[in-house]
Amino acid sequence: MIPLLVCDDSMMARKQLIRALPAEWPVTISQANHGEEAMLVLRQGLAEVMLLDLTMPVMDGFEVLAALRDEGLSCKVIVVSGDVQEEAIRRVSDLGALAFIKKPADPEKLRETLSRLGLLDTPAPASTSSAPAPVAVPPRPAFELKINFRDALREISNVAMGRAAALLAKVLGVFVQLPVPAVNIFEVSELHMTLADAQRGERFSALCQGFIGDGIAGEALLLFHDSEIADISRLFKWQPKDETETSEMLLDLASILIGACLSGISEQIDVRFSQGHPQLLGLHGSIDSLIHVNQQRWRKTLAVEISYSLEGHNVHFDLLLLFTEDSIQRLSHKINYLLN
């Protein structure tokens, strides 16, 4: 039996990945919630093959690959990640990963990759006059992973933000550093506190874009810190002459990020979202004014918070997907269908 380690901070992702494994592959499976846990297993020599996520807390997948190389540890690593930026794929290859598979892992793609790497092959029995019949692989024990709604939505958002980052990276020629998304249900006062924390004492510009589909509705809210707009302009190779042109530039960036992120979510949960046009909520404003204008429609909301930053640039912006309270039941139903 081959000792296999599945390392991902999402229980949903681990469950999907374990389900996608070839049934005949003779493996014993262990799991890790993040890279630090994985390294404990690897240092004991308890994993011959590892399926590794990139975006994790404590210690991410890039750091795990670097640690394996630096410590001279032997393990065949296949990265399975939602971060599909071309630069991310190049970096993990340089760090020693044997292959890259995008999330959610397609069973046939996973099988083809394992076969190409020779990991599905088993040694042929020694030639004798009466060769024994091949030994059947024992049934793999079922993993009963208790997946809650927030974990599942966080993983769906993780995949979606990775696709949005790949598009942004291609348009701007940058590497986008991805966080682990945060999922919370807020009262408007709590949302106020979250946005105020994101503001970090600065003034900002804010844009929103509404979306609706199959009983699920909400708004995507994108916050830009004013101190970073000049850096965004340089990346776009566009020097706005006035606030009208600044607004146009930010609306273009919002269309890229919000559109790709919503597309990634809709594809996973099989919902077609109708999207409104991005709207500017205000330039150089304050959190208080934003909350005051929108407090009726954001009375209670399910919020997914994603904070992007661009490597090597002073650019950091916050994307919040704000689902209405009425959408939670339908969204939960779609996610449960996806899991089962």
Side-chain angles (χ1 to χ4, degrees):
M1 301 288 280
I2 300 169
L4 170 69
L5 176 60
V6 179
C7 180
D8 197 300
D9 62 305
S10 165
M11 288 186 290
M12 175 180 172
R14 297 200 303 272
K15 180 176 181 178
Q16 288 178 325
L17 198 46
I18 291 169
R19 280 181 170 180
L21 296 174
E24 74 278 12
W25 195 26
V27 292
T28 56
I29 302 171
S30 56
Q31 302 180 53
N33 289 300
H34 50 70
E36 195 170 276
E37 286 187 1
M39 290 305 300
L40 293 175
V41 175
L42 294 164
R43 289 181 181 121
Q44 297 176 69
L46 299 179
E48 182 178 327
V49 180
M50 176 167 56
L51 302 178
L52 177 68
D53 185 28
L54 292 180
T55 307
M56 297 182 290
V58 185
M59 186 178 191
D60 66 26
F62 296 105
E63 293 170 321
V64 171
L65 287 166
L68 279 172
R69 180 194 58 191
D70 294 345
E71 296 181 29
L73 299 174
S74 177
C75 183
K76 299 178 178 69
V77 181
I78 298 172
V79 170
V80 184
S81 176
D83 186 350
V84 293
Q85 297 177 80
E86 292 179 1
E87 177 63 13
I89 297 171
R90 187 195 67 77
R91 289 185 184 188
V92 298
S93 177
D94 288 349
L95 286 168
L98 299 178
F100 182 99
I101 298 174
K102 72 175 183 178
K103 284 183 173 183
D106 175 72
E108 286 305 312
K109 175 64 176 176
L110 181 56
R111 175 187 291 276
E112 182 275 328
T113 301
L114 293 170
S115 179
R116 175 171 55 82
L117 297 174
L119 298 176
L120 287 183
D121 299 338
T122 54
S127 178
T128 63
S129 56
S130 56
V135 178
V137 176
R140 189 173 296 141
F143 283 86
E144 294 299 327
L145 297 176
K146 301 293 185 182
I147 301 170
N148 61 42
F149 172 76
R150 290 187 183 184
D151 179 81
L153 183 56
R154 183 168 55 244
E155 176 59 17
I156 289 169
S157 302
N158 175 54
V159 171
M161 78 177 187
R163 296 181 187 180
L167 181 56
L168 185 63
K170 187 169 292 187
V171 170
L172 297 182
V174 295
F175 182 68
V176 182
Q177 296 172 317
L178 298 177
V180 177
V183 177
N184 293 289
I185 297 176
F186 290 113
E187 299 288 346
V188 68
S189 59
E190 296 171 307
L191 178 60
H192 186 167
M193 292 173 61
T194 296
L195 295 178
D197 179 63
Q199 184 191 4
R200 300 194 302 247
E202 300 177 16
R203 301 186 74 77
F204 66 96
S205 299
L207 304 96
C208 72
Q209 183 172 10
F211 57 88
I212 188 168
D214 199 7
I216 299 171
E219 287 184 319
L221 175 65
L222 194 57
L223 301 177
F224 297 95
H225 303 283
D226 276 7
S227 62
E228 300 165 355
I229 289 179
D231 293 88
I232 295 172
S233 300
R234 281 191 286 272
L235 286 170
F236 264 97
K237 298 180 173 60
W238 183 1
Q239 296 302 320
K241 298 181 181 64
D242 52 33
E243 289 197 350
T244 299
E245 290 195 358
T246 297
S247 300
E248 291 176 4
M249 179 185 68
L250 296 181
L251 287 167
D252 285 347
L253 184 51
S255 294
I256 294 169
L257 270 177
I258 296 173
C261 202
L262 289 176
S263 176
I265 291 175
S266 65
E267 182 180 322
Q268 292 177 82
I269 64 174
D270 193 26
V271 168
R272 183 181 295 275
F273 286 127
S274 296
Q275 300 174 34
H277 294 291
Q279 295 181 344
L280 185 68
L281 294 180
L283 285 173
H284 323 305
S286 69
I287 289 292
D288 289 333
S289 61
L290 178 65
I291 289 292
H292 178 72
V293 170
N294 294 282
Q295 60 185 348
Q296 291 303 314
R297 58 182 174 177
W298 293 344
R299 187 162 293 166
K300 187 171 187 179
T301 185
L302 168 66
V304 178
E305 182 182 3
I306 303 168
S307 296
Y308 290 94
S309 58
L310 307 185
E311 185 179 80
H313 300 275
N314 179 35
V315 178
H316 172 285
F317 39 84
D318 302 284
L319 172 64
L320 288 94
L321 302 177
L322 307 173
F323 296 90
T324 63
E325 185 178 6
D326 295 340
S327 300
I328 296 176
Q329 183 175 355
R330 182 60 178 163
L331 191 56
S332 179
H333 173 77
K334 298 293 288 189
I335 289 174
N336 286 334
Y337 181 80
L338 176 66
L339 292 175
N340 301 312

